[in-house]
Amino acid sequence: MKRLLLVEDEQIMAKNIAFFLTREGFQVDTAYDGEAALELFAVGQYDLVLLDWTLPKLDGLEVCKRIRRESQVPIMMLTAKGEIFDKVVGLEVGADDYLVKPFDQRELLARIHALLRRISAEHKGQAAEAWLQYEDLRLDREKLLLVCGEETAALTANEYKLLELMMKKPHNVFTREYLYEEVWGELPGYNDRTVDVTISRLRRKILQLCGKKYFQAVRGLGYRFGEKS
Ligand code: CA
């Protein structure tokens, strides 16, 4: 049984979502504010976190950041229509997906399954070979870590997926649309900033790790992974 942590301060909505997801076979723990969310997260083993954007005590952004310091658990942000929610900021702090309220419960369920499927596919892929290597950079597929010499950097699920895809075919040109579809799935409202933001985050991590610039923008097309030729 998959365990979900639901963080939502509107109690009626939280109870409705928890009721629905429990009926769909999930085990759901609910937190009504950001601090309670982190307390639960520290002791529970969760497969996925549903995280409201505006919360008392600590907001969703901060909760997301703090969870990401120690875990690669998939995080889906929930945000109310009209709330000041910057998707780019959400992805910057490591959220894997987001859903705008009010949403249909079936839509929520479909997105949860898609996210969990993606993660489990990644885990299966890991069984084949534990490492993916390019020059001095290694991708640890078991720990979702980037390794260069003695240095390591943690990756979010989406960063991992994107990097793995591109690292398998160095010097290949990938369009933003292709990357978006492969990593985020066929979500409505394609936004090419999503790919740009994730790549710039990866580029920064690799630069800090081994001083190399391994992502090249290809004008009018997309991106290439590998050293500049
Ligand atoms: Ca809220």
Coordinates of all heavy atoms in Angstrom, one line a residue, residues 172-214:
N172 N 23.6 14.3 -28.3 CA 22.3 14.3 -29.0 C 21.5 15.6 -28.8 O 21.6 16.1 -27.7 CB 21.4 13.2 -28.5 CG 21.1 12.1 -29.5 OD1 22.0 11.7 -30.2 ND2 19.9 11.7 -29.6
V173 N 20.8 16.1 -29.7 CA 20.0 17.3 -29.5 C 18.6 16.9 -29.1 O 18.0 16.1 -29.8 CB 20.0 18.2 -30.7 CG1 19.1 19.4 -30.4 CG2 21.4 18.7 -31.1
F174 N 18.1 17.4 -28.0 CA 16.8 17.1 -27.5 C 16.0 18.4 -27.5 O 16.4 19.4 -27.1 CB 16.8 16.6 -26.0 CG 17.5 15.3 -25.8 CD1 18.9 15.2 -25.6 CD2 16.8 14.1 -25.9 CE1 19.5 14.0 -25.4 CE2 17.4 12.8 -25.7 CZ 18.8 12.8 -25.5
T175 N 14.8 18.3 -28.1 CA 13.9 19.5 -28.1 C 13.3 19.6 -26.7 O 13.1 18.6 -26.0 CB 12.8 19.4 -29.1 OG1 11.9 18.3 -28.8 CG2 13.3 19.1 -30.5
R176 N 12.9 20.8 -26.4 CA 12.2 21.0 -25.1 C 10.9 20.2 -25.0 O 10.6 19.7 -24.0 CB 11.8 22.5 -24.9 CG 13.0 23.4 -24.7 CD 12.5 24.8 -24.5 NE 13.6 25.7 -24.2 CZ 14.3 26.3 -25.1 NH1 14.1 26.0 -26.4 NH2 15.3 27.1 -24.8
E177 N 10.2 20.2 -26.1 CA 8.9 19.5 -26.1 C 9.1 18.0 -25.8 O 8.4 17.4 -25.0 CB 8.2 19.6 -27.5 CG 7.7 21.0 -27.8 CD 8.8 22.0 -28.2 OE1 9.9 21.6 -28.4 OE2 8.5 23.2 -28.4
Y178 N 10.2 17.4 -26.4 CA 10.4 16.0 -26.2 C 10.8 15.8 -24.7 O 10.3 14.9 -24.1 CB 11.6 15.5 -27.1 CG 12.0 14.1 -26.8 CD1 11.3 13.0 -27.4 CD2 13.1 13.8 -26.0 CE1 11.7 11.7 -27.1 CE2 13.5 12.5 -25.7 CZ 12.8 11.5 -26.3 OH 13.1 10.2 -26.0
L179 N 11.7 16.6 -24.2 CA 12.1 16.4 -22.8 C 10.9 16.6 -21.9 O 10.8 15.8 -20.9 CB 13.2 17.5 -22.5 CG 14.5 17.3 -23.2 CD1 15.5 18.5 -23.0 CD2 15.2 16.0 -22.7
Y180 N 10.1 17.6 -22.2 CA 9.0 17.8 -21.3 C 8.0 16.6 -21.3 O 7.6 16.1 -20.2 CB 8.2 19.0 -21.8 CG 7.1 19.4 -20.8 CD1 7.3 20.3 -19.7 CD2 5.8 18.9 -21.0 CE1 6.3 20.6 -18.9 CE2 4.8 19.2 -20.1 CZ 5.1 20.1 -19.0 OH 4.1 20.4 -18.2
E181 N 7.8 16.1 -22.4 CA 6.9 14.9 -22.5 C 7.4 13.7 -21.8 O 6.7 13.0 -21.1 CB 6.6 14.6 -24.0 CG 5.2 14.4 -24.3 CD 4.9 14.2 -25.8 OE1 5.0 13.1 -26.3 OE2 4.7 15.2 -26.5
E182 N 8.7 13.5 -22.0 CA 9.4 12.3 -21.4 C 9.5 12.4 -19.9 O 9.3 11.4 -19.2 CB 10.8 12.1 -22.0 CG 10.8 11.6 -23.4 CD 10.3 10.2 -23.6 OE1 10.7 9.3 -22.8 OE2 9.4 10.0 -24.5
V183 N 9.7 13.6 -19.4 CA 10.0 13.7 -18.0 C 8.7 14.1 -17.2 O 8.4 13.5 -16.2 CB 11.1 14.8 -17.7 CG1 11.3 15.1 -16.2 CG2 12.4 14.4 -18.4
W184 N 7.9 15.0 -17.7 CA 6.7 15.4 -17.0 C 5.5 14.8 -17.5 O 4.4 15.0 -16.8 CB 6.6 17.0 -17.1 CG 7.6 17.7 -16.2 CD1 7.4 18.1 -14.9 CD2 8.9 18.1 -16.5 NE1 8.5 18.7 -14.4 CE2 9.5 18.7 -15.4 CE3 9.7 17.9 -17.7 CZ2 10.8 19.2 -15.4 CZ3 11.0 18.4 -17.7 CH2 11.5 19.0 -16.5
G185 N 5.5 14.0 -18.5 CA 4.3 13.4 -19.1 C 3.5 14.4 -19.9 O 3.9 15.6 -20.0
E186 N 2.5 13.9 -20.5 CA 1.7 14.7 -21.4 C 0.7 15.6 -20.6 O -0.5 15.3 -20.6 CB 1.0 13.9 -22.4 CG 2.0 13.3 -23.4 CD 1.4 12.3 -24.3 OE1 0.7 12.7 -25.2 OE2 1.6 11.1 -24.1
L187 N 1.2 16.5 -19.9 CA 0.4 17.4 -19.1 C -0.2 18.5 -20.0 O 0.5 19.0 -20.8 CB 1.1 18.0 -17.9 CG 1.7 17.0 -17.0 CD1 2.5 17.7 -15.9 CD2 0.6 16.2 -16.3
P188 N -1.4 18.9 -19.7 CA -1.9 20.1 -20.4 C -1.1 21.4 -19.9 O -0.6 21.4 -18.8 CB -3.4 20.2 -20.0 CG -3.5 19.4 -18.7 CD -2.4 18.4 -18.8
G189 N -1.1 22.3 -20.8 CA -0.4 23.6 -20.4 C 1.1 23.5 -20.4 O 1.8 23.8 -19.5
Y190 N 1.6 22.9 -21.5 CA 3.1 22.8 -21.7 C 3.7 24.2 -21.5 O 3.3 25.2 -22.1 CB 3.4 22.3 -23.1 CG 4.8 22.5 -23.5 CD1 5.8 21.7 -22.9 CD2 5.2 23.5 -24.4 CE1 7.2 21.9 -23.2 CE2 6.5 23.7 -24.7 CZ 7.5 22.9 -24.1 OH 8.8 23.2 -24.5
N191 N 4.8 24.2 -20.7 CA 5.4 25.5 -20.5 C 6.9 25.2 -20.7 O 7.5 24.5 -19.9 CB 5.1 25.9 -19.1 CG 5.8 27.2 -18.7 OD1 6.8 27.6 -19.3 ND2 5.4 27.8 -17.6
D192 N 7.5 25.8 -21.7 CA 8.9 25.5 -21.9 C 9.9 26.0 -20.9 O 11.0 25.6 -20.8 CB 9.4 25.8 -23.4 CG 9.2 27.3 -23.6 OD1 8.8 28.1 -22.7 OD2 9.6 27.8 -24.7
R193 N 9.4 26.9 -20.0 CA 10.3 27.4 -18.9 C 10.6 26.2 -18.0 O 11.6 26.2 -17.3 CB 9.6 28.5 -18.2 CG 9.6 29.8 -18.8 CD 11.0 30.4 -18.8 NE 11.4 30.8 -17.5 CZ 12.7 30.7 -17.1 NH1 13.6 30.3 -17.9 NH2 13.0 31.0 -15.8
T194 N 9.7 25.2 -17.9 CA 9.9 24.1 -17.0 C 11.2 23.4 -17.3 O 12.0 23.1 -16.5 CB 8.7 23.1 -17.2 OG1 7.5 23.8 -17.0 CG2 8.8 22.0 -16.2
V195 N 11.4 23.1 -18.6 CA 12.6 22.4 -19.1 C 13.8 23.3 -18.8 O 14.8 22.9 -18.3 CB 12.5 22.0 -20.5 CG1 13.8 21.5 -21.1 CG2 11.4 21.0 -20.7
D196 N 13.7 24.6 -19.2 CA 14.8 25.5 -19.0 C 15.2 25.6 -17.6 O 16.4 25.6 -17.3 CB 14.4 26.9 -19.5 CG 14.1 27.0 -21.0 OD1 14.7 26.1 -21.7 OD2 13.4 27.8 -21.5
V197 N 14.3 25.7 -16.7 CA 14.6 25.9 -15.3 C 15.3 24.6 -14.7 O 16.3 24.7 -14.0 CB 13.3 26.1 -14.5 CG1 13.5 25.9 -13.0 CG2 12.8 27.5 -14.7
T198 N 14.8 23.5 -15.1 CA 15.4 22.2 -14.6 C 16.8 22.1 -15.2 O 17.7 21.7 -14.4 CB 14.5 21.0 -15.0 OG1 13.2 21.3 -14.6 CG2 15.0 19.7 -14.3
I199 N 17.0 22.4 -16.4 CA 18.3 22.3 -17.0 C 19.3 23.3 -16.4 O 20.4 23.0 -16.1 CB 18.3 22.5 -18.6 CG1 17.7 21.2 -19.1 CG2 19.7 22.8 -19.1 CD1 17.8 20.9 -20.6
S200 N 18.8 24.5 -16.1 CA 19.7 25.5 -15.5 C 20.1 25.1 -14.1 O 21.2 25.3 -13.6 CB 19.2 26.9 -15.6 OG 18.2 27.1 -14.7
R201 N 19.2 24.4 -13.4 CA 19.5 23.9 -12.1 C 20.5 22.8 -12.2 O 21.4 22.7 -11.4 CB 18.2 23.4 -11.5 CG 18.1 23.6 -10.0 CD 16.6 23.4 -9.5 NE 16.1 22.1 -10.0 CZ 14.8 21.9 -10.1 NH1 13.9 22.8 -9.9 NH2 14.4 20.7 -10.6
L202 N 20.3 21.9 -13.1 CA 21.3 20.8 -13.3 C 22.7 21.3 -13.7 O 23.7 20.9 -13.2 CB 20.8 19.9 -14.4 CG 19.8 18.8 -13.9 CD1 19.2 18.1 -15.2 CD2 20.4 17.7 -13.0
R203 N 22.6 22.3 -14.6 CA 23.9 22.9 -15.1 C 24.7 23.5 -13.9 O 25.9 23.3 -13.8 CB 23.6 24.0 -16.1 CG 24.8 24.7 -16.7 CD 24.4 25.8 -17.6 NE 24.1 25.4 -19.0 CZ 23.3 26.0 -19.8 NH1 22.6 27.1 -19.4 NH2 23.2 25.6 -21.0
R204 N 23.9 24.2 -13.0 CA 24.5 24.8 -11.8 C 25.1 23.8 -10.9 O 26.2 23.9 -10.4 CB 23.5 25.6 -11.1 CG 24.0 26.8 -10.4 CD 22.9 27.9 -10.1 NE 21.7 27.3 -9.5 CZ 20.5 27.6 -10.0 NH1 20.3 28.4 -11.0 NH2 19.4 27.1 -9.4
K205 N 24.4 22.7 -10.7 CA 24.9 21.6 -9.8 C 26.1 21.0 -10.4 O 27.1 20.7 -9.7 CB 23.8 20.5 -9.7 CG 22.7 20.9 -8.7 CD 21.7 19.8 -8.4 CE 20.6 20.3 -7.5 NZ 19.6 19.3 -7.3
I206 N 26.2 20.7 -11.7 CA 27.3 20.1 -12.3 C 28.5 21.1 -12.3 O 29.7 20.7 -12.0 CB 27.0 19.7 -13.8 CG1 26.0 18.5 -13.7 CG2 28.3 19.2 -14.5 CD1 25.4 18.1 -15.1
L207 N 28.2 22.3 -12.5 CA 29.3 23.3 -12.5 C 29.9 23.4 -11.1 O 31.2 23.5 -11.0 CB 28.7 24.7 -12.9 CG 29.7 25.8 -13.3 CD1 30.5 25.4 -14.5 CD2 29.0 27.1 -13.5
Q208 N 29.1 23.4 -10.1 CA 29.6 23.4 -8.7 C 30.4 22.2 -8.4 O 31.4 22.2 -7.7 CB 28.5 23.6 -7.7 CG 28.0 25.1 -7.6 CD 26.7 25.2 -6.8 OE1 26.2 24.2 -6.3 NE2 26.3 26.4 -6.6
L209 N 29.9 21.1 -8.9 CA 30.5 19.8 -8.6 C 31.8 19.6 -9.2 O 32.8 19.2 -8.6 CB 29.5 18.7 -9.1 CG 29.5 17.4 -8.3 CD1 29.1 17.6 -6.9 CD2 28.4 16.5 -9.0
C210 N 31.9 19.8 -10.6 CA 33.2 19.5 -11.2 C 33.7 20.6 -12.2 O 34.5 20.4 -13.0 CB 33.1 18.1 -11.9 SG 31.7 17.9 -13.0
G211 N 33.1 21.8 -12.0 CA 33.6 22.9 -12.8 C 33.4 22.8 -14.3 O 34.1 23.5 -15.1
K212 N 32.5 21.9 -14.7 CA 32.3 21.8 -16.2 C 30.9 22.3 -16.6 O 29.9 22.1 -15.8 CB 32.4 20.3 -16.6 CG 33.8 19.7 -16.2 CD 34.7 19.7 -17.4 CE 36.1 19.3 -17.0 NZ 36.2 17.9 -16.7
K213 N 30.8 22.7 -17.8 CA 29.5 23.1 -18.3 C 29.1 22.1 -19.3 O 29.5 22.1 -20.5 CB 29.7 24.5 -19.0 CG 28.4 25.4 -18.9 CD 28.7 26.7 -19.5 CE 27.4 27.2 -20.1 NZ 27.5 28.4 -21.0
Y214 N 28.2 21.2 -18.8 CA 27.9 20.0 -19.7 C 26.5 20.1 -20.4 O 26.1 19.2 -21.1 CB 27.9 18.7 -18.8 CG 29.2 18.1 -18.6 CD1 29.5 17.3 -17.5 CD2 30.3 18.4 -19.5 CE1 30.8 16.8 -17.3 CE2 31.5 17.8 -19.3 CZ 31.8 17.0 -18.2 OH 33.0 16.5 -18.0

